[in-house]
Amino acid sequence: MHKFTTIITGLALLCASVSLHAQDATIRIHDEGTGVTIPAEIYGQFSEHLGRCIYGGLWVGKDSKVPNVEGYRKDVFDALKTLKVPVMRWPGGCFADDYHWMDGIGPQEKRAYIANNNWGGTLEDNSFGTHEFLNLCEMLGIEPYISGNVGSGSVEEMAKWVEYMTSDASSNMADLRRANGREEPWKVKYFGIGNEAWGCGGNMTPEYYSDLFRRYATYLRDLGGNHLYKIASGASDYDYNWTKVLMNNIGADKGMKGISLHYYTNIGGWVGSKTSATQFSDATYYTTLSKTIEIEEVLQKHIDIMDTIDPEGRVDLLLDEWGTWFDVEPGTNPGHLYQQNTMRDAIVAALNFDIFHKYTRRLKMANIAQVVNVLQAMILTNETEMVLTPTYHVFEMYNVHQDAEFVASDILTKTVKSDRKWPVPEVDATVSRKDGVMNISLVNTDLKKAKKVLITFDNEKAVSAITAARVLTSKDVHDYNDFGKANVVEPKAFKDYKLTKAGLEVTLPPCSIAVLAAK
Ligand code: AHR
């Protein structure tokens, strides 16, 4: 594995203590260029028919009193435009393997209605379907990622869905699409063949699923100049055997372009209570961060298996579900997975990005769960108001890294030990370059202390000015944005830096994330 950032910790830190004497951390930037581009898709989103993600989140319908753009909630629509979402996965998650796409096309009043039995038994009236999702993507410039139904669907149903969406021929499905008001086919690149096939997607063995994948993939055709990038339902967490079997039994030759992985930052386990999203001790904060950075080892192990079986790198790894999973907010439907979002979530997001950026040789996409009102959401809504979460702000501040060239750096920092194995770096960073600007994003995980960071460059003349700088922080790590108090945590102009002979000296406030643009 080529790793471009080295975090030097532990023993190495003792040896290097001389160079740290005036600082809490140092970062050396090797600005000769790596030629590695950070795929924009690392900043992907996930939208599922779950709780109020779709209904009341993305979609209110054209007749709603809530201001809307052709049925899409206007405040959310505008916020997503600002975010520059590269790709969005839909309709699930577990919901995908219960979803019959024909329920969601045609006149709204004639659409089938069902109980969403995965998620609290809530009424699903199918008013948001294929047209509504693909048109939203088109309007916002988002690449759609469709998750097909293997668990309770059929090869015929899935093949017809692809035909309906992408065929420009004169055929039943393409004509049905035209009759439903869409003349031109859409372009659909990413197509997932099932979701969590080892669990809610059918409780299969990897061997059985591999055979099913091959069968389904055979009939998902490239039509009308469209090219499908077919994705296999991959492992959860530490299930390395799942990845191994799929890589051996399917592989690129049988149409698998990508294999997915799910990893959640859940510190109470799956059964029973996890922990509150807003009330947690300092120790729990560090436990959360330790659990989140464990993802690096998990990615590495899945990638090692892929490298062994597929040394040419023909199959990509897609982390199509990740993020924090806490208890639902008191008084809300336990099946709706509605949780608040604090500065802790912002730090989790930033640390994950710092890890993802290092593995893009194989890791080509990551979709946080989920975009609105579910788990580590970007946006929370009630009937009339919208709140941007601290996680939204990280995605927005970090979008400078999308499609930018990764710049190698070494970080020398102390770490904090928690009750878990993975020590948490006090300071973390990503450096990238785009359009002649070097963007440096920095994280200080320390809850109490500001950190002095000295950033130096191989090329002393690499940076002569900082042209923009913002910081995301708050007085208390428990702070969050809520209805009526929407701006408690938001990015502000950052001034605590200076360019000196020694390099770029930055003082990061406790529990903060900063992004500096350098020229
Ligand atoms: O994101 C919530 C659920 O978590 C998804 O539906 C499922 O794929 C995963 O278990």
mmCIF file of all heavy atoms in Angstrom, residues 46 48 50 89 93-95 119 195-196 200 262 264 321 325 337 369-370 374-375, ligand 1:
data_model
loop_
_atom_site.group_PDB
_atom_site.id
_atom_site.type_symbol
_atom_site.label_atom_id
_atom_site.label_comp_id
_atom_site.label_asym_id
_atom_site.label_seq_id
_atom_site.Cartn_x
_atom_site.Cartn_y
_atom_site.Cartn_z
ATOM 1 N N PHE A 46 -25.440 9.386 0.616
ATOM 2 C CA PHE A 46 -26.321 8.216 0.605
ATOM 3 C C PHE A 46 -27.715 8.684 1.017
ATOM 4 O O PHE A 46 -27.858 9.388 2.028
ATOM 5 C CB PHE A 46 -25.755 7.184 1.588
ATOM 6 C CG PHE A 46 -26.601 5.978 1.856
ATOM 7 C CD1 PHE A 46 -27.428 5.419 0.888
ATOM 8 C CD2 PHE A 46 -26.562 5.361 3.109
ATOM 9 C CE1 PHE A 46 -28.200 4.293 1.150
ATOM 10 C CE2 PHE A 46 -27.323 4.231 3.382
ATOM 11 C CZ PHE A 46 -28.143 3.704 2.395
ATOM 12 N N GLU A 48 -31.649 7.238 1.593
ATOM 13 C CA GLU A 48 -32.456 6.020 1.676
ATOM 14 C C GLU A 48 -33.885 6.370 2.065
ATOM 15 O O GLU A 48 -34.123 7.360 2.784
ATOM 16 C CB GLU A 48 -31.845 5.076 2.733
ATOM 17 C CG GLU A 48 -32.634 3.781 2.900
ATOM 18 C CD GLU A 48 -31.882 2.703 3.689
ATOM 19 O OE1 GLU A 48 -30.840 3.006 4.295
ATOM 20 O OE2 GLU A 48 -32.358 1.545 3.681
ATOM 21 N N LEU A 50 -35.870 6.029 4.437
ATOM 22 C CA LEU A 50 -35.668 5.678 5.849
ATOM 23 C C LEU A 50 -35.996 6.933 6.655
ATOM 24 O O LEU A 50 -35.386 7.983 6.416
ATOM 25 C CB LEU A 50 -34.209 5.243 6.051
ATOM 26 C CG LEU A 50 -33.739 4.601 7.345
ATOM 27 C CD1 LEU A 50 -32.267 4.246 7.287
ATOM 28 C CD2 LEU A 50 -34.081 5.321 8.605
ATOM 29 N N ARG A 89 -26.158 7.799 -3.536
ATOM 30 C CA ARG A 89 -26.667 6.426 -3.592
ATOM 31 C C ARG A 89 -28.139 6.415 -3.179
ATOM 32 O O ARG A 89 -28.528 7.104 -2.232
ATOM 33 C CB ARG A 89 -25.812 5.575 -2.651
ATOM 34 C CG ARG A 89 -26.167 4.104 -2.579
ATOM 35 C CD ARG A 89 -25.050 3.364 -1.842
ATOM 36 N NE ARG A 89 -25.338 1.956 -1.703
ATOM 37 C CZ ARG A 89 -25.642 1.359 -0.552
ATOM 38 N NH1 ARG A 89 -25.693 2.053 0.574
ATOM 39 N NH2 ARG A 89 -25.887 0.064 -0.526
ATOM 40 N N GLY A 93 -29.231 0.952 0.873
ATOM 41 C CA GLY A 93 -29.596 0.457 2.165
ATOM 42 C C GLY A 93 -30.582 -0.742 2.120
ATOM 43 O O GLY A 93 -30.911 -1.302 1.081
ATOM 44 N N CYS A 94 -30.931 -1.133 3.328
ATOM 45 C CA CYS A 94 -31.836 -2.279 3.477
ATOM 46 C C CYS A 94 -33.109 -2.084 2.662
ATOM 47 O O CYS A 94 -33.684 -3.060 2.160
ATOM 48 C CB CYS A 94 -32.161 -2.492 4.955
ATOM 49 S SG CYS A 94 -30.738 -3.027 5.929
ATOM 50 N N PHE A 95 -33.547 -0.836 2.513
ATOM 51 C CA PHE A 95 -34.779 -0.583 1.765
ATOM 52 C C PHE A 95 -34.652 -1.076 0.316
ATOM 53 O O PHE A 95 -35.638 -1.497 -0.297
ATOM 54 C CB PHE A 95 -35.108 0.917 1.788
ATOM 55 C CG PHE A 95 -36.376 1.260 1.052
ATOM 56 C CD1 PHE A 95 -37.622 1.032 1.634
ATOM 57 C CD2 PHE A 95 -36.329 1.792 -0.233
ATOM 58 C CE1 PHE A 95 -38.803 1.324 0.945
ATOM 59 C CE2 PHE A 95 -37.487 2.094 -0.922
ATOM 60 C CZ PHE A 95 -38.728 1.860 -0.335
ATOM 61 N N TRP A 119 -37.921 0.000 8.214
ATOM 62 C CA TRP A 119 -37.675 1.214 8.984
ATOM 63 C C TRP A 119 -38.941 1.743 9.637
ATOM 64 O O TRP A 119 -39.526 2.714 9.180
ATOM 65 C CB TRP A 119 -37.009 2.273 8.092
ATOM 66 C CG TRP A 119 -35.735 1.764 7.484
ATOM 67 C CD1 TRP A 119 -35.456 1.580 6.165
ATOM 68 C CD2 TRP A 119 -34.552 1.347 8.201
ATOM 69 N NE1 TRP A 119 -34.191 1.082 5.998
ATOM 70 C CE2 TRP A 119 -33.603 0.926 7.236
ATOM 71 C CE3 TRP A 119 -34.196 1.291 9.553
ATOM 72 C CZ2 TRP A 119 -32.338 0.443 7.587
ATOM 73 C CZ3 TRP A 119 -32.936 0.805 9.902
ATOM 74 C CH2 TRP A 119 -32.033 0.404 8.926
ATOM 75 N N ASN A 195 -27.665 -5.019 -1.659
ATOM 76 C CA ASN A 195 -27.067 -4.311 -0.532
ATOM 77 C C ASN A 195 -27.003 -5.269 0.653
ATOM 78 O O ASN A 195 -27.970 -5.987 0.939
ATOM 79 C CB ASN A 195 -27.942 -3.108 -0.138
ATOM 80 C CG ASN A 195 -27.538 -2.514 1.211
ATOM 81 O OD1 ASN A 195 -26.510 -1.859 1.321
ATOM 82 N ND2 ASN A 195 -28.335 -2.767 2.243
ATOM 83 N N GLU A 196 -25.891 -5.290 1.322
ATOM 84 C CA GLU A 196 -25.713 -6.134 2.519
ATOM 85 C C GLU A 196 -26.336 -7.516 2.286
ATOM 86 O O GLU A 196 -27.205 -7.973 3.046
ATOM 87 C CB GLU A 196 -26.269 -5.436 3.767
ATOM 88 C CG GLU A 196 -25.512 -4.146 4.059
ATOM 89 C CD GLU A 196 -25.722 -3.541 5.449
ATOM 90 O OE1 GLU A 196 -26.632 -3.969 6.168
ATOM 91 O OE2 GLU A 196 -24.934 -2.636 5.806
ATOM 92 N N CYS A 200 -29.560 -7.905 5.721
ATOM 93 C CA CYS A 200 -30.919 -7.507 5.320
ATOM 94 C C CYS A 200 -31.165 -7.712 3.825
ATOM 95 O O CYS A 200 -32.312 -7.754 3.388
ATOM 96 C CB CYS A 200 -31.198 -6.062 5.719
ATOM 97 S SG CYS A 200 -30.162 -4.840 4.862
ATOM 98 N N HIS A 262 -18.988 -1.582 4.212
ATOM 99 C CA HIS A 262 -19.709 -0.733 5.169
ATOM 100 C C HIS A 262 -18.953 -0.722 6.495
ATOM 101 O O HIS A 262 -18.559 -1.779 6.988
ATOM 102 C CB HIS A 262 -21.134 -1.265 5.400
ATOM 103 C CG HIS A 262 -22.015 -1.128 4.194
ATOM 104 N ND1 HIS A 262 -23.305 -1.592 4.142
ATOM 105 C CD2 HIS A 262 -21.774 -0.564 2.975
ATOM 106 C CE1 HIS A 262 -23.836 -1.319 2.946
ATOM 107 N NE2 HIS A 262 -22.910 -0.706 2.225
ATOM 108 N N TYR A 264 -19.352 1.460 10.196
ATOM 109 C CA TYR A 264 -19.970 2.524 10.994
ATOM 110 C C TYR A 264 -19.178 2.779 12.273
ATOM 111 O O TYR A 264 -18.610 1.853 12.859
ATOM 112 C CB TYR A 264 -21.409 2.149 11.364
ATOM 113 C CG TYR A 264 -22.390 2.358 10.216
ATOM 114 C CD1 TYR A 264 -22.808 1.296 9.417
ATOM 115 C CD2 TYR A 264 -22.879 3.625 9.933
ATOM 116 C CE1 TYR A 264 -23.692 1.495 8.364
ATOM 117 C CE2 TYR A 264 -23.773 3.834 8.876
ATOM 118 C CZ TYR A 264 -24.172 2.772 8.104
ATOM 119 O OH TYR A 264 -25.042 2.986 7.066
ATOM 120 N N GLU A 321 -21.175 2.993 2.718
ATOM 121 C CA GLU A 321 -21.859 3.449 3.939
ATOM 122 C C GLU A 321 -20.813 3.641 5.025
ATOM 123 O O GLU A 321 -20.042 2.718 5.314
ATOM 124 C CB GLU A 321 -22.907 2.431 4.411
ATOM 125 C CG GLU A 321 -24.119 2.339 3.497
ATOM 126 C CD GLU A 321 -25.229 1.433 4.028
ATOM 127 O OE1 GLU A 321 -25.350 1.281 5.264
ATOM 128 O OE2 GLU A 321 -25.973 0.885 3.188
ATOM 129 N N TRP A 325 -23.039 6.260 14.266
ATOM 130 C CA TRP A 325 -24.362 5.662 14.510
ATOM 131 C C TRP A 325 -24.582 5.688 16.012
ATOM 132 O O TRP A 325 -24.051 4.865 16.753
ATOM 133 C CB TRP A 325 -24.392 4.234 13.954
ATOM 134 C CG TRP A 325 -25.753 3.605 13.909
ATOM 135 C CD1 TRP A 325 -26.737 3.679 14.845
ATOM 136 C CD2 TRP A 325 -26.275 2.780 12.859
ATOM 137 N NE1 TRP A 325 -27.840 2.971 14.444
ATOM 138 C CE2 TRP A 325 -27.590 2.398 13.231
ATOM 139 C CE3 TRP A 325 -25.767 2.316 11.641
ATOM 140 C CZ2 TRP A 325 -28.393 1.577 12.426
ATOM 141 C CZ3 TRP A 325 -26.566 1.496 10.856
ATOM 142 C CH2 TRP A 325 -27.865 1.143 11.245
ATOM 143 N N LEU A 337 -33.826 6.406 12.901
ATOM 144 C CA LEU A 337 -32.386 6.696 13.011
ATOM 145 C C LEU A 337 -32.058 8.189 12.907
ATOM 146 O O LEU A 337 -31.117 8.595 12.217
ATOM 147 C CB LEU A 337 -31.597 5.906 11.948
ATOM 148 C CG LEU A 337 -31.875 4.404 11.826
ATOM 149 C CD1 LEU A 337 -30.906 3.770 10.824
ATOM 150 C CD2 LEU A 337 -31.771 3.683 13.163
ATOM 151 N N ALA A 369 -23.506 8.031 5.546
ATOM 152 C CA ALA A 369 -24.895 7.706 5.852
ATOM 153 C C ALA A 369 -25.388 8.682 6.936
ATOM 154 O O ALA A 369 -24.839 8.657 8.019
ATOM 155 C CB ALA A 369 -25.005 6.265 6.348
ATOM 156 N N GLN A 370 -26.380 9.493 6.542
ATOM 157 C CA GLN A 370 -27.002 9.703 5.252
ATOM 158 C C GLN A 370 -27.183 11.211 5.044
ATOM 159 O O GLN A 370 -26.927 11.968 5.958
ATOM 160 C CB GLN A 370 -28.328 8.974 5.172
ATOM 161 C CG GLN A 370 -28.165 7.457 5.392
ATOM 162 C CD GLN A 370 -29.427 6.651 5.099
ATOM 163 O OE1 GLN A 370 -30.459 7.175 4.733
ATOM 164 N NE2 GLN A 370 -29.313 5.329 5.285
ATOM 165 N N VAL A 374 -30.949 11.395 8.833
ATOM 166 C CA VAL A 374 -30.657 10.007 9.224
ATOM 167 C C VAL A 374 -29.171 9.879 9.567
ATOM 168 O O VAL A 374 -28.313 10.314 8.786
ATOM 169 C CB VAL A 374 -31.024 9.017 8.097
ATOM 170 C CG1 VAL A 374 -30.570 7.602 8.437
ATOM 171 C CG2 VAL A 374 -32.535 9.018 7.841
ATOM 172 N N LEU A 375 -28.870 9.287 10.741
ATOM 173 C CA LEU A 375 -27.495 9.034 11.184
ATOM 174 C C LEU A 375 -26.643 10.310 11.075
ATOM 175 O O LEU A 375 -27.096 11.371 11.491
ATOM 176 C CB LEU A 375 -26.909 7.827 10.429
ATOM 177 C CG LEU A 375 -27.675 6.505 10.667
ATOM 178 C CD1 LEU A 375 -27.096 5.365 9.826
ATOM 179 C CD2 LEU A 375 -27.664 6.110 12.137
HETATM 180 O O1 AHR B 1 -27.851 3.312 6.943
HETATM 181 C C1 AHR B 1 -28.748 2.512 7.629
HETATM 182 C C2 AHR B 1 -28.629 1.046 7.279
HETATM 183 O O2 AHR B 1 -27.390 0.556 7.687
HETATM 184 C C3 AHR B 1 -28.688 0.697 5.814
HETATM 185 O O3 AHR B 1 -29.989 0.617 5.337
HETATM 186 C C4 AHR B 1 -28.041 -0.642 5.781
HETATM 187 O O4 AHR B 1 -27.445 -0.926 4.546
HETATM 188 C C5 AHR B 1 -27.044 -0.590 6.928
HETATM 189 O O5 AHR B 1 -27.129 -1.705 7.729
#
